[in-house]
Amino acid sequence: MAEHFYRLSLLEIDNAFNLATAGVLSIDASHYQSFSVIYISKIINAYKDYKGKFILEYQAELEKQEKREPTESERLHMMVDAILESFDAYKEKPTYNEFGYVAYDFLNNLGLIKFNKELKKEILKSAREKVIERLTLKRKEHTGGTTEYIEISTSIKDIQADQSGRQNEVVNECKNIGLCQYYNFILENNLSLKDELESVLIKD
């Protein structure tokens, strides 16, 4: 038996006989005074069929769960978890997150981020410089006169001429920098980001 059913543990073999006795498996569990290898094989094979169907049903249920759109509450929890994980990573190694604007918008909409005008000006100045520097490097990847080169050059000139920071690249850069500033504020004041989130989410 060990040679043919080595993939099953002793616990599973015991479970197979229990299920057969309970009438769950598609087999007559009565051995009629003949507890032979053939009888055992029939039970084990019936158990494997049962187990296979169970696995298929479980996989089908998982696929349904994956395809299902998350509820508003689930999306909220997912966002909070993602932000807390991002903050934990920042605590270990403060690094710039190019997609930080997503977390910034969420935290800002909750009213947690409160920057004064002076800090906002500093962030805007830094953001404009970073975007121009990044676009300048990107422009070097293209040959002068090409469509890509001209488009990047136009974007650079637009940012240089307009200091309001209305361009999407600058707006997102401001938010990315702003998120780092907020994380620094939490750390410098020995606050708990989780507590800060809960304080506003519980009210809602």
Side-chain angles (χ1 to χ4, degrees):
M1 185 171 72
E3 179 183 352
H4 294 288
F5 304 111
Y6 64 93
R7 292 182 183 275
L8 297 178
S9 66
L10 290 175
L11 182 63
E12 285 187 296
I13 292 174
D14 181 58
N15 190 38
F17 279 91
N18 289 334
L19 290 173
T21 303
V24 175
L25 303 183
S26 57
I27 185 176
D28 182 3
S30 302
H31 52 76
Y32 303 106
Q33 308 301 320
S34 177
F35 200 78
S36 64
V37 174
I38 294 176
Y39 168 77
I40 296 172
S41 296
K42 287 181 178 179
I43 288 182
I44 297 299
N45 286 328
Y47 172 73
K48 288 167 71 176
D49 289 341
Y50 168 82
K51 183 180 175 183
K53 291 177 183 178
F54 178 79
I55 290 173
L56 288 175
E57 289 174 0
Y58 179 70
Q59 289 176 333
E61 185 61 30
L62 280 181
E63 289 177 1
K64 287 181 182 179
Q65 291 291 331
E66 290 174 357
K67 291 178 181 179
R68 181 180 63 83
E69 285 291 325
T71 64
E72 184 176 345
S73 176
E74 288 172 338
R75 284 196 295 269
L76 176 64
H77 281 89
M78 288 165 62
M79 176 60 79
V80 169
D81 288 343
I83 289 175
L84 291 175
E85 287 179 11
S86 167
F87 179 65
D88 286 340
Y90 188 85
K91 283 193 295 186
E92 293 295 323
K93 185 180 180 182
T95 52
Y96 171 88
N97 183 352
E98 62 179 318
F99 299 108
Y101 59 87
V102 178
Y104 178 93
D105 281 340
F106 181 79
L107 294 168
N108 188 50
N109 289 336
L110 290 176
L112 290 173
I113 298 179
K114 300 171 183 177
F115 295 150
N116 58 41
K117 290 183 179 180
E118 201 61 38
L119 181 54
K120 287 181 178 179
K121 286 182 180 179
E122 291 178 14
I123 291 174
L124 175 57
K125 181 176 181 296
S126 178
R128 292 179 66 250
E129 290 173 352
K130 283 181 177 293
V131 173
I132 290 173
E133 180 182 358
R134 188 163 60 241
L135 289 175
T136 300
L137 289 173
K138 186 178 180 181
R139 183 173 59 180
K140 292 179 180 179
E141 299 174 3
H142 304 281
T143 305
T146 60
T147 302
E148 292 83 359
Y149 187 95
I150 294 172
E151 287 179 349
I152 295 172
S153 296
T154 301
S155 295
I156 293 174
K157 291 178 181 178
D158 186 26
I159 296 171
Q160 289 173 332
D162 180 6
Q163 298 185 13
S164 67
R166 63 179 176 77
Q167 300 82 6
N168 287 334
E169 299 97 323
V170 177
V171 171
N172 286 339
E173 189 68 31
C174 284
K175 293 176 180 179
N176 292 340
I177 297 173
L179 181 67
C180 293
Q181 291 281 359
Y182 178 68
Y183 283 172
N184 289 336
F185 169 79
I186 293 291
L187 294 172
E188 290 167 3
N189 290 276
N190 294 316
L191 299 174
S192 165
L193 179 56
K194 184 177 180 181
D195 289 345
E196 293 293 304
L197 283 164
E198 288 179 349
S199 69
V200 292
L201 291 174
I202 290 175
K203 292 178 183 178
D204 296 339

